Amino acid sequence: MKSSAPGKIILFGEHAVVYGRPALAVPVTQVHADVEVTASSRNGIWIDAPDINLHAEVNTLPSDHPIASVIHNFLFISRISPFPNLDIKITSTIPVASGLGSGAAVTVALTRALLSHLDYPMPDEGINSFAYEIEKLHHGTPSGIDNTVVTYAKPVYFIKGQPIETFSVGNPFTIVIGNTGVSAPTKESVADVRKLWEADQAKWEGMFDKVGTIAKEARKAIESGKAKVLGKLMNQNHTLLQEMTVSSPELDNLVSAVLNAGAAGAKLSGGGRGGNMIALVEKEKAPVISEALLSAGATRTIITTV
Ligand code: PMV
């Protein structure tokens, strides 16, 4: 059985979302994780993940290995015993540690492929909460936005702990995603923000409130098709992320490059200090902006329409 899950990108609200403020994120279907589960003639559960050069029986992997932990936890919750012999092929075009939700996408695609192969029905809510438990094992205190967008593959207006809320898009708009090539240390940046918040809660709650207001306004602007407002909101959100200490020289450099090349707005996306930034652009300008990013040092760009 085969299953696929898309990447995702956060448009507004990262970090503040961990503290209960709303954030907006959308699936990025240009990149995806794909998993195929078939019956095996060998004993055990064999993983073949050529992209990361992994070819192993699951019990030979450390139990906290991201792929092994999905399978061990799946075995535990499914209570299927004895578990059948399986060959599991995993491929992904989603760059890792870049804020595109690669981990969540592998978890969701793998879980769905196992469920279909084993004829074990599970609603999306179940898959989403299972994927959230896996995210928590690897990412400290995640908000749950990654697994939610990836599971439902829809634009999401996300508030931690609340039922999924999707949003409509009044007028499609174009985003160019630029990768700094620097691996984003999300667990670390989330932990650092927590320390800073603990040291001065009043100041940080104020910053999170500002981000939350931006996310709410952005939703209104997207739903009513006002892309111009959206660009300004992106710039304001980026300034707040800089104040939160989660930007980096590489991210700021790409953000300046796209603004100089005529983007309507830009910001870092995801955990920050590396990974991706996004730029709001007029559709016709997307190739020029993408070129500007590559000249400024981006290792990869993706043009996507929301
Ligand atoms: O780096 P990403 O895209 O996985 O996103 C991290 C987003 C944060 O808000 C920083 C953390 C979270 O769990 O929401």
Side-chain angles (χ1 to χ4, degrees), residues 140-190:
T141 56
S143 61
I145 190 166
D146 279 26
N147 47 279
T148 304
V149 179
V150 164
T151 301
Y152 294 92
K154 280 183 192 155
V156 170
Y157 180 79
F158 182 85
I159 302 175
K160 190 176 162 182
Q162 293 199 8
I164 174 187
E165 205 176 320
T166 178
F167 59 88
S168 58
V169 180
N171 245 334
F173 56 93
T174 303
I175 297 280
V176 183
I177 303 171
N179 195 334
T180 56
V182 177
S183 167
T186 300
K187 190 173 178 176
E188 235 173 80
S189 58
V190 170

Side-chain angles (χ1 to χ4, degrees), residues 8 10 13-15 17-18 99-100 141-146 186 190 270-271:
K8 72 101 222 321
I10 297 179
E14 48 276 271
H15 286 286
V17 70
V18 176
L100 282 169
T141 56
S143 61
I145 190 166
D146 279 26
T186 300
V190 170

Side-chain angles (χ1 to χ4, degrees), residues 105-297:
V106 169
T107 300
V108 168
L110 175 53
T111 307
R112 285 215 174 103
L114 287 166
L115 290 167
S116 344
H117 180 78
L118 299 163
D119 241 339
Y120 186 107
M122 189 186 280
D124 283 347
E125 295 79 63
I127 295 172
N128 190 31
S129 53
F130 177 71
Y132 185 41
E133 292 309 311
I134 301 290
E135 291 279 291
K136 284 197 251 180
L137 294 177
H138 304 298
H139 299 301
T141 56
S143 61
I145 190 166
D146 279 26
N147 47 279
T148 304
V149 179
V150 164
T151 301
Y152 294 92
K154 280 183 192 155
V156 170
Y157 180 79
F158 182 85
I159 302 175
K160 190 176 162 182
Q162 293 199 8
I164 174 187
E165 205 176 320
T166 178
F167 59 88
S168 58
V169 180
N171 245 334
F173 56 93
T174 303
I175 297 280
V176 183
I177 303 171
N179 195 334
T180 56
V182 177
S183 167
T186 300
K187 190 173 178 176
E188 235 173 80
S189 58
V190 170
D192 287 352
V193 166
R194 186 162 294 277
K195 273 187 221 138
L196 293 163
W197 170 79
E198 276 163 2
D200 192 347
Q201 292 198 14
K203 174 182 161 194
W204 282 77
E205 288 291 331
M207 281 199 282
F208 295 150
D209 280 342
K210 284 186 196 162
V211 174
T213 305
I214 289 175
K216 281 186 212 148
E217 282 181 23
R219 177 184 186 168
K220 271 193 229 147
I222 293 172
E223 292 194 320
S224 55
K226 291 187 185 129
K228 268 216 177 105
V229 185
L230 213 54
K232 221 184 287 165
L233 292 172
M234 273 191 188
N235 295 338
Q236 290 170 3
N237 197 164
H238 186 67
T239 303
L240 284 160
L241 287 160
Q242 287 174 319
E243 280 174 42
M244 291 179 192
T245 76
V246 296
S247 194
S248 69
E250 293 84 0
L251 284 163
D252 289 344
N253 170 45
L254 295 185
V255 165
S256 307
V258 292
L259 294 177
N260 289 335
K267 63 182 276 296
L268 73 85
S269 174
R273 297 189 184 160
N276 281 294
M277 46 68 69
I278 54 174
L280 177 73
V281 304
E282 285 161 36
K283 196 171 182 196
E284 317 70 66
K285 278 195 194 155
V288 174
I289 303 287
S290 167
E291 275 309 315
L293 279 169
L294 295 168
S295 316

